[in-house]
Each structure stands twice: as C-alpha cells, then as structure tokens.
Amino acid sequence: MKVAKFGGTSVANAQCISRVKNIILSDPEIRFVVVSAPGKREKDDTKITDLLYKCYDNVRYGTSVKEAFKPVASRFNAIVSELGLTLDLESEYESIRQHVGHGASCDYLVSRGEYLCAKIVACYLGWEFIDASRLICFDEDGMFDPEKTEAIASKLLGSAQNAVIPGFYGTTPDGAIKTFSRGGSDISGAIVAGAVNASVYENWTDVDGFMRCDPRVVEDSELIEMLTYKELRELSYMGANVLHPDSIFPVRKNDIPISIRNTFNPKAKGTLIVPTTRFLNGIYVRKETFITGIAGKKDFVGIAIEKSMMNSELGFGRRILNVIEDNGLAFEHIPSGIDTLTVILDGHKLSEELIRKLVFEIENVCSPDNIHVIRDLALIAIVGHGLSFRPGAAAKVFGSLAAANVNIKMIDQGSSELNIIIAVENKDYEKALNALYDGLVRK
Ligand code: ASP
C-alpha cells in the first residue's frame, strides 16, 4: 500500500488536479493521499498559503475579514467550477471568516489552504476526507508529538479504505490548530505513511527528483537516482529543497522508502530515498559513485574567537554557546583549532546590531585575545557514503577548488565521513560549485 503526497504546484489549478486524479487512479496501491494548498500557477503567481498569510495581516491592519479573504475564495471557487464539482464551499468560507473574526490564530488561517484543497480533492475522487486535526498531534509547547500521533493515526487510518488528508497542520491538546514549518505537508505525508506502514511514500512534486547539484548553478547537473536518508538530511539541510528535511523521521522507523516523482512527467523514475544503499526489498542496489551530491547556501556569518590556551580552559565553548543560545540562535558549525574557535551562524537571522551584541557578550564571558566577524560566507556540503571508503576524497575536493583558484575559508568534516563542508566567500560560490562538479562528478 502506498501513500502519495501532492505538493502545491501539483494541485495549483483544476487542470493539475485532474492530472493528480489520473495518477492516483492509475495505481490501485495508492490508498491515502495528502495534499498541500494550491501553489503557483505560473512564475509570478502567489501560493494560497502566502495569500492566507497576507489575509491574516490585512485583517490585523483593519481590512474586513470578508474583503481580505476574497482572493483565497476566488481561487478555490475557480478550481471547483472548472472541475465541475457541486461542492459548496460557501459554508466553509463562512466558518473560516467567523473564526478569524473572533481572533483565530495565524496558524489556523494558513492551514485552511490545505484543508479546503483536501476537501476538493476528496470530493473529486469520491474518497473520504479525514481532517489532519484528528490525526496529527502537537504537545502543549507546540512540538510535534510522534507517539500520540502514531497511536491515533494508525487506528483511525487503519479503519479507512481510501482517504484524502490535508497536509501542513495538526492540533495541540487544547484543540488549537498548529502548523509545521513551511513546506511541512511533506512531513504530514511521511507521518501518514509511517502510521499505515506504507510500502512506499510517494512524494509528487514539480521536478524529476534531487539533482547532484543545484541546476540553476550547474547547468547540466544530473539526477540522483538513489539517496539514503542520511544523505538526504545533509543535502536538504544545505539547500537542496525538494523535500522538507524532517520528512525522514516518521518513515525511518519502518524503513519506508520515499519516492520523489514529478506530477508533470510521471514517466520519469525520480529519486528513491532509502534507509541504506545496500538493501531494499531484499536487493542490494546502488552502484557507489564518488559523491552523491553537492549542495550549498550563501550568507553565513562566522564569529572567530582566538585565545591562547583555549583548549585547556574549562567551559570556554559552553560560555560562548550560552551567549548564542541566550540570543535565541542556533549555531550551524563550530570549526575549532587549539587556540581558535569559530561559530558559524545563519546570516539571515542576524542584524548588524545583533552581531555587535553577540561580540560584546562573548568578549564579556571569555575575554578572548582577538575576536572578529567574517561576513558573506557560503557553505558547501559535499555529500556521499562513497566519501568514507575512498582515500583521496579530500584531495579531490581541495584540488578541484585550488585549480579553480577558489580560496577556502573553513573546512569541516562530519565524524560520519558522510560529508565534507567547506566555506568560501559568497562571491566564489558559483565558481566553487562548478569546480567541484567538474572535479568530482564529471571527471
Ligand atoms: N502550503 C504550505 C507552504 O506553502 C505547506 C506545504 O505546501 O507543504 O509552505
């Protein structure tokens, strides 16, 4: 039995939804479908989820709920009428407007994109609609509660034959709607797949799968046919955003493979994400390549701290990390030497004022000999299980970058030997990716 999740572009309009129906009906193994809210119909279009965020802001700034909700209602009305459905969404809109008028949360309002879309798809397929608020549980602190969800979802879904479930949200114990982070319908699909112990979790999107490198930077980047859970985490964390990186956790327990498929090119094989490269349904499959993929992101900031004898000073690292934590930040990496330590942070979460504050507080807690800020860093992860058993992997990485005259600002190799992370200047990012692709993939 399969669970299929369809992303925003796959359900962007009536024509897309009719494609989705063909895909679902052509495979009787698909029994549960999870949908996102309708996404962009063309490049400059706005996703329903973004329209809903805007609607929430407009209401806060004084626009009437009815007026603010109009663009959302008209998108859904067009879909319903073009699909020729007799579904009357007016009572749903009224209930949403009432809730918003009475101060419903932003999470509630933005979740309505997935809710209404699932209602439409269920009606169009003639399948049962099961609300995610009945299945997916968050705790009092708004953290996803996997145990409670598993118990409830497997029971509820176990007694259903076919169902359509909205992605992206669930409920807290007091009944309030809570959403995952953006792109979270991928996680909902994985939760449903885990709860029914599906043979495969199909994730239908608008690309053929994961590419070895960002195709906007490396033009003829090839498709990755098979990826492990761990490689996926590394690549998606570093910016390969085909699938939400947290989608792995719900399927990992039962070793359920995730198959990335393209709604607009259903014949393409896609990328299969598996627990291990060595075993899948009894067969050993992947032919190891030197690396599996390269991914990266720009705009990191490093705070480089230097102090003699740092290595023997008890609590030095802890005090620095406390400063980072007290300012509500998570660190990305901490490469260190004997007398130096650099904390790498996501630059998008920092203002100049916050950087000054961090520097000031770090100076106060550990009196360094020297502290300076390195801006405009890009991080690049070279990922693959193949790296671990091939001597010379690092030589190839650094040789390729040296040949392209790219200066490396930092090196970090995870202890799993699954990845090598390097930092370069933002301005060298594209050059570095192409050099690495040439040296490690094209050969
Ligand atoms: N609709 C939500 C978003 O745009 C969730 C999703 O599509 O996965 O982020």
Side-chain angles (χ1 to χ4, degrees):
M1 177 223 308
K2 293 180 184 171
V3 169
K5 179 258 166 181
F6 292 88
T9 24
S10 303
V11 292
N13 60 22
Q15 207 191 354
C16 299
I17 296 179
S18 91
R19 263 175 194 280
V20 163
K21 182 175 181 175
N22 288 339
I23 291 171
I24 295 169
L25 297 186
S26 67
D27 186 351
E29 278 207 65
I30 299 179
R31 280 190 34 208
F32 297 97
V33 166
V34 175
V35 290
S36 284
K40 293 185 181 193
R41 291 159 296 183
E42 68 265 323
K43 200 165 157 271
D44 296 324
D45 197 16
T46 310
K47 292 175 169 195
I48 287 279
T49 308
D50 292 313
L51 287 180
L52 287 162
Y53 278 113
K54 199 157 160 225
C55 172
Y56 185 79
D57 285 343
N58 287 344
V59 172
R60 273 182 51 209
Y61 292 115
T63 312
S64 73
V65 183
K66 187 146 195 189
E67 196 54 37
F69 192 71
K70 261 188 191 158
V72 178
S74 84
R75 284 266 317 256
F76 280 113
N77 288 343
I79 295 177
V80 170
S81 89
E82 282 167 41
L83 289 176
L85 299 176
T86 47
L87 182 68
D88 177 17
L89 289 181
E90 200 39 55
S91 57
E92 297 286 358
Y93 300 156
E94 190 44 36
S95 147
I96 296 169
R97 288 190 293 248
Q98 293 271 340
H99 273 81
V100 176
H102 289 102
S105 69
C106 182
D107 277 16
Y108 164 80
L109 181 56
V110 298
S111 74
R112 298 304 87 183
E114 272 70 13
Y115 172 85
L116 293 168
C117 185
K119 284 260 164 180
I120 293 173
V121 174
C123 172
Y124 190 45
L125 291 169
W127 285 14
E128 186 183 351
F129 164 86
I130 300 184
D131 197 346
S133 62
R134 297 172 62 201
L135 298 178
I136 296 188
C137 310
F138 289 82
D139 65 18
E140 298 77 9
D141 302 323
M143 298 300 288
F144 172 58
D145 185 337
E147 282 83 28
K148 195 167 163 197
T149 301
E150 161 98 46
I152 295 177
S154 47
K155 193 152 163 243
L156 197 62
L157 298 173
S159 58
Q161 181 53 30
N162 296 110
V164 181
I165 301 144
F168 195 35
Y169 69 94
T171 36
T172 55
D174 61 1
I177 296 284
K178 168 91 190 115
T179 58
F180 289 110
S181 57
R182 295 298 303 265
S185 300
D186 285 340
I187 309 173
S188 312
I191 292 169
V192 172
V196 300
N197 199 9
S199 57
V200 181
Y201 167 33
E202 286 187 346
N203 189 289
W204 290 83
T205 177
D206 55 1
V207 291
D208 282 350
F210 278 84
M211 297 300 197
R212 287 212 194 276
C213 197
D214 185 344
R216 289 165 305 184
V217 180
V218 175
E219 272 172 21
D220 56 345
S221 176
E222 60 183 44
L223 187 83
I224 306 176
E225 283 183 11
M226 191 173 292
L227 199 60
T228 65
Y229 290 169
K230 283 187 180 156
E231 290 170 335
L232 168 91
R233 282 285 293 165
E234 303 283 348
L235 289 171
S236 33
Y237 180 74
M238 281 303 267
N241 54 7
V242 178
L243 185 74
H244 195 297
D246 295 348
S247 312
I248 289 305
F249 303 118
V251 293
R252 197 170 57 180
K253 206 172 100 213
N254 297 340
D255 284 356
I256 301 169
I258 306 175
S259 173
I260 306 291
R261 302 292 304 276
N262 189 349
T263 303
F264 305 93
N265 183 17
K267 292 217 169 77
K269 262 177 74 188
T271 300
L272 191 63
I273 303 158
V274 292
T276 146
T277 54
R278 311 213 165 177
F279 177 79
L280 177 69
N281 291 339
I283 7 173
Y284 293 85
V285 244
R286 188 166 83 171
K287 182 175 153 277
E288 275 315 326
T289 45
F290 198 79
I291 61 143
T292 305
I294 305 167
K297 285 200 272 199
K298 284 184 174 175
D299 301 330
F300 289 90
V301 169
I303 301 182
I305 303 138
E306 198 182 323
K307 187 172 188 188
S308 307
M309 312 282 286
M310 176 198 96
N311 64 324
S312 53
E313 188 175 321
L314 275 186
F316 188 85
R318 179 182 47 75
R319 288 197 296 277
I320 292 172
L321 293 183
N322 275 348
V323 170
I324 304 297
E325 183 183 343
D326 292 347
N327 281 282
L329 297 165
F331 70 88
E332 306 288 329
H333 295 277
I334 344 177
S336 63
I338 305 173
D339 293 331
T340 60
L341 182 151
T342 304
V343 185
I344 309 270
L345 302 166
D346 181 351
H348 297 112
K349 298 192 178 130
L350 299 171
S351 61
E352 280 306 315
E353 198 190 334
L354 184 51
I355 295 177
R356 276 197 298 276
K357 182 167 182 270
L358 291 173
V359 169
F360 177 76
E361 290 179 12
I362 292 174
E363 278 175 332
N364 270 347
V365 295
C366 67
S367 318
D369 299 336
N370 184 13
I371 177 165
H372 67 280
V373 177
I374 315 165
R375 290 181 177 72
D376 300 325
L377 286 176
L379 293 187
I380 299 175
I382 298 107
V383 177
H385 292 286
L387 286 171
S388 61
F389 53 80
R390 279 203 181 79
K396 272 203 173 224
V397 170
F398 302 125
S400 310
L401 293 170
N405 208 13
V406 173
N407 183 26
I408 301 171
K409 307 282 287 183
M410 178 209 88
I411 303 165
D412 195 1
Q413 175 165 27
S415 49
S416 61
E417 285 190 63
L418 176 65
N419 65 2
I420 298 176
I421 296 173
I422 52 145
V424 299
E425 288 178 45
N426 270 348
K427 69 172 176 49
D428 287 336
Y429 176 71
E430 285 80 10
K431 188 158 73 160
L433 282 192
N434 277 291
L436 289 166
Y437 198 83
D438 275 343
L440 303 170
V441 182
R442 272 199 203 101
K443 283 178 276 208

